[in-house]
Amino acid sequence: FTSISERLGAKETVALLNEYFTDMVDIVFAHNGVLDKYIGDMIMAVFGSVLQSDDDASNAVMVGNRMLTGLHHLNQRRAARGGEPIQIGVGISTGNVVAGNIGSLKRMEYTVIGDRVNLAERLEGANKFYGTSILICEATYAAIRDHAEAREIDLIRVRGREMPVAIYEALGHHTADSFPHREEALAAFREGLLRYRQRDWGGAEHCFSAALAANPGDGPSKIYFER
C-alpha cells in the first residue's frame, strides 16, 4: 500500500481506498459480519460479537474467499483504466475476545480486543512470507474443515505467545488459473509436510519438488523446498 500510495498521490490514493472499501465492506455485510473499524488500508471485521452462531467461523472464511474474488474484479476494472493491480492478505482467528465500549470519556468505540484479535493481525501479515492470501488459525480450521477447503501450512510462534500455533490456508477463492493442478499439488504438499516433520529430508524435497512442478507459483512449497 505504501509504495502504491507514493506513486498515486493523495487524491488518487483516497479514490482507490474508497473503491476498495466499498467493494469489500459490502461482502462483509452480506455474510453477517460487523465492520469494526478501518486501520489505514486495513479492514477489521468481527463475526459473532453481538449475536453468536455456529456459522461465525464459516462466514468469516467465506468473506475472506469472496474478498479475493472481489479483488480480482476490482483489479480488472483498474487494469481497464491503466491502473496497477493490488494485493491483499486476510487473517482469521476464532476464539474468545473482550467486547465493549472502549476509549476515553470524550469518545468511546465498540470494539473487540484480546489475544485472538492480535493473532488475526499476525496471520494477515504472515501471508507475505508464505506467499498466500488467506491464513486461518487452528480453531477456525476445526470449525470449517468439513465444508471448506484448506490445508495446513506450518507451526509458527507469534509475538506474545510462547507455544507455536498451527496455521492453515483457506483455498476456496482459487480457480484453475490461480492454482493450476490443485489436487496434484496439494497431495504432494501434504505428503511433503508429513515427511518433513519425520525428518525425511530427501523424501520431503522430492514431494515439494513435485508440488512445484504441478504449480510453480505455490509459495508454501517454495519455502519448504528451500528449507
Side-chain angles (χ1 to χ4, degrees):
F1 172 73
T2 302
S3 60
I4 292 177
S5 62
E6 288 175 349
R7 290 193 294 272
L8 289 179
K11 183 178 179 180
E12 290 79 8
T13 298
V14 170
L16 167 61
L17 282 177
N18 286 342
E19 183 180 19
Y20 168 73
F21 285 149
T22 297
D23 287 3
M24 298 300 124
V25 170
D26 283 347
I27 296 171
V28 172
F29 288 163
H31 300 283
N32 299 321
V34 174
L35 174 64
D36 187 281
K37 61 172 68 72
Y38 302 112
I39 309 171
D41 61 327
M42 184 187 299
I43 296 171
M44 179 174 170
V46 185
F47 299 79
S49 64
V50 180
L51 296 175
Q52 297 181 4
S53 78
D54 294 336
D55 297 327
D56 291 329
S58 296
N59 283 334
V61 174
M62 186 179 300
V63 164
N65 283 319
R66 296 198 173 179
M67 285 175 75
L68 268 294
T69 302
L71 182 69
H72 176 70
H73 297 310
L74 172 60
N75 281 332
Q76 286 182 326
R77 297 199 305 269
R78 288 182 52 75
R81 301 194 299 262
E84 61 185 300
I86 59 176
Q87 294 178 295
I88 65 171
V90 178
I92 301 173
S93 178
T94 300
N96 292 324
V97 297
V98 176
N101 291 317
I102 299 174
S104 73
L105 293 178
K106 294 185 178 179
R107 180 177 177 181
M108 305 288 284
E109 287 186 348
Y110 180 84
T111 189
V112 296
I113 60 173
D115 171 70
R116 288 288 148 175
V117 180
N118 297 335
L119 178 57
E121 184 178 14
R122 303 287 187 270
L123 294 179
E124 185 275 325
N127 282 292
K128 292 181 180 179
F129 175 78
Y130 288 101
T132 54
S133 295
I134 307 175
L135 289 176
I136 65 178
C137 72
E138 192 168 9
T140 305
Y141 174 72
I144 62 100
R145 62 185 301 172
D146 293 332
H147 54 269
E149 190 174 11
R151 63 167 165 174
E152 185 176 0
I153 294 295
D154 207 349
L155 293 168
I156 64 171
R157 287 184 63 181
V158 296
R159 189 172 60 197
R161 278 173 160 257
E162 292 189 5
M163 296 299 295
V165 295
I167 61 173
Y168 299 78
E169 179 190 13
L171 298 165
H173 61 282
H174 278 299
T175 64
D177 291 329
S178 64
F179 202 128
H181 307 106
R182 186 189 310 191
E183 294 303 320
E184 299 94 319
L186 292 180
F189 179 85
R190 285 192 293 268
E191 181 65 20
L193 186 59
L194 177 62
R195 291 178 179 272
Y196 175 86
R197 289 176 174 169
Q198 293 173 343
R199 302 187 180 187
D200 175 9
W201 311 125
E205 182 179 11
H206 174 77
C207 290
F208 293 127
S209 177
L212 289 171
N215 178 14
D218 187 36
S221 293
K222 288 181 182 178
I223 287 177
Y224 276 103
F225 184 80
E226 292 170 359
R227 286 181 186 177

